[in-house]
Amino acid sequence: MSQTNQTLGEFIIENQTSFKYSSGELSRLINSIRLAAKVVNHEVNKAGLVDIIGNAGDTNIQGEDQQKLDVYANDKFIQTMTNRNIVCGIASEEEDDFITINSQDENHQNKYVVLIDPLDGSSNIDVNVSVGTIFSVYRRVTPVGTPVQIEDFLQKGVNQVAAGYIIYGTSTMLVYTTGDGVNGFTLNPAIGSYYLSHPNMQFPEDGRIYSVNEGNYTHFPRGIKDYIKYCQKEEGDRPYTSRYIGSLVSDFHRNMIKGGIYMYPKSSKSSNGKLRLLYECNPMAFLAEQANGKASDGYMRIMEIEPTELHQRVPFICGSKNMVDKAEEFMKNAES
Ligand code: AHM
Ligand code: MG
């Protein structure tokens, strides 16, 4: 039985041995993400102060260049994982290509690659709305000790060994899975430690919240339009409530706790939707499935999609299982 006074550090150590391929490497990796997240959290929290305490122009009070927060977060996560020498490669939504780590060092035995969206929903920062970091971890498929290759990153979501997100919200939380359920940890900012606050998180099988950018309604496929009309219909426990933050991590987090569905479908304007398969959809799909939820592109399981490029986009429907099933049913019926 989990204790709520357990810190993330204690939890990682306690659960390390139950992990199938345990060598401590994955634990060190989660630890470095935990550390970088604290640094980024600090910066995100004072975002509104930048114009007040920063110098005019583009340098801050220490004389450092002011960076956009998403660039800052990208640098911090990459720096932390590179300095601690715990992964062999990183791909980031903020970088055009993947980064190879220590390919010159023949003793470099690290076997994991990380894919990361360092600050998702960053357009929300200016208006003080929650943003998040999303990460996904795979075991490399090319030989250990050699430079990573594109195929180490272009793996199906089912191959993930860990995934998670940090939500910089009213409180900051780190939520992650290593394939054995989903656990959420809340940062106590006074102490700088994360505590297990949400053990074994589960999507309710049914929900009453739908989250979609309805401004794009006219451009959505028939099946999605029909499903939205279904959500709005006065019948049984409907109409459902519409909630859309526009910050995937926050919308997902709320839906996981309360029960709901998130949709970013394709539209006549963007044939594959907006969200990235490798940095956003796969990690959220892994978390959803580990929390008894479901993630689909409308027709098939997200984690079964064969990736073809690093920044590939896919339509994304994710949340309470029965709701995703229903949306898929509408997609299918619209075809016939
Ligand atoms: P980003 O990676 O550029 O921040 O975009 C991803 C975000 C998601 O967090 C959010 O759900 C979605 O974009 C919102 O998009 P839109 O404004 O088109 O509804
Ligand atoms: Mg993003």
Side-chain angles (χ1 to χ4, degrees), residues 22 40 60 71 77 88 93 95 99 108 120 129 136 140 216-217 225 237 239 257 272 281 288 304:
S22 176
V40 171
N60 69 10
V71 177
F77 279 101
C88 49
E93 199 187 280
E95 306 280 336
I99 298 166
H108 194 69
D120 183 68
V129 169
S136 171
R140 64 181 302 175
N216 296 328
Y217 182 87
K225 283 182 178 167
D237 63 347
I257 291 171
N272 289 310
C281 304
E304 294 283 2

Side-chain angles (χ1 to χ4, degrees), residues 93 117 119-122 134 248 275-276 279-280:
E93 199 187 280
D117 182 354
L119 209 59
D120 183 68
S122 49
I134 308 172
L248 171 63
L275 301 183
R276 308 307 220 285
Y279 310 110
E280 291 159 334

Side-chain angles (χ1 to χ4, degrees), residues 175-177 180-184 198-201 256 286-288 290-291:
V175 175
Y176 81 102
T177 181
D180 186 21
V182 176
N183 291 287
H198 295 64
N200 192 22
M201 297 179 85
M256 177 158 61
F286 190 24
L287 287 160
Q290 283 296 316

Side-chain angles (χ1 to χ4, degrees), residues 36-51 60 65-78 92 94 116-133 168:
K38 260 195 260 185
V39 178
V40 171
N41 175 61
H42 183 70
E43 208 61 22
V44 168
N45 274 180
K46 59 178 198 194
L49 287 170
V50 165
D51 289 340
N60 69 10
D65 286 344
Q66 287 290 352
Q67 287 176 318
K68 280 183 67 193
L69 267 178
D70 38 14
V71 177
Y72 178 88
N74 185 49
D75 290 350
K76 275 296 159 228
F77 279 101
I78 291 175
S92 163
E94 293 287 334
I116 190 158
D117 182 354
L119 209 59
D120 183 68
S122 49
S123 62
N124 277 313
I125 288 178
D126 291 347
V127 290
N128 207 355
V129 169
S130 304
V131 290
T133 296
Y168 309 100

Side-chain angles (χ1 to χ4, degrees), residues 1-7 10-11 14 185 195-197 199:
M1 184 68 191
S2 307
Q3 302 154 18
T4 46
N5 62 355
Q6 192 176 28
T7 65
E10 288 161 359
F11 182 90
E14 201 168 287
F185 300 82
Y195 287 89
L196 179 61
S197 51

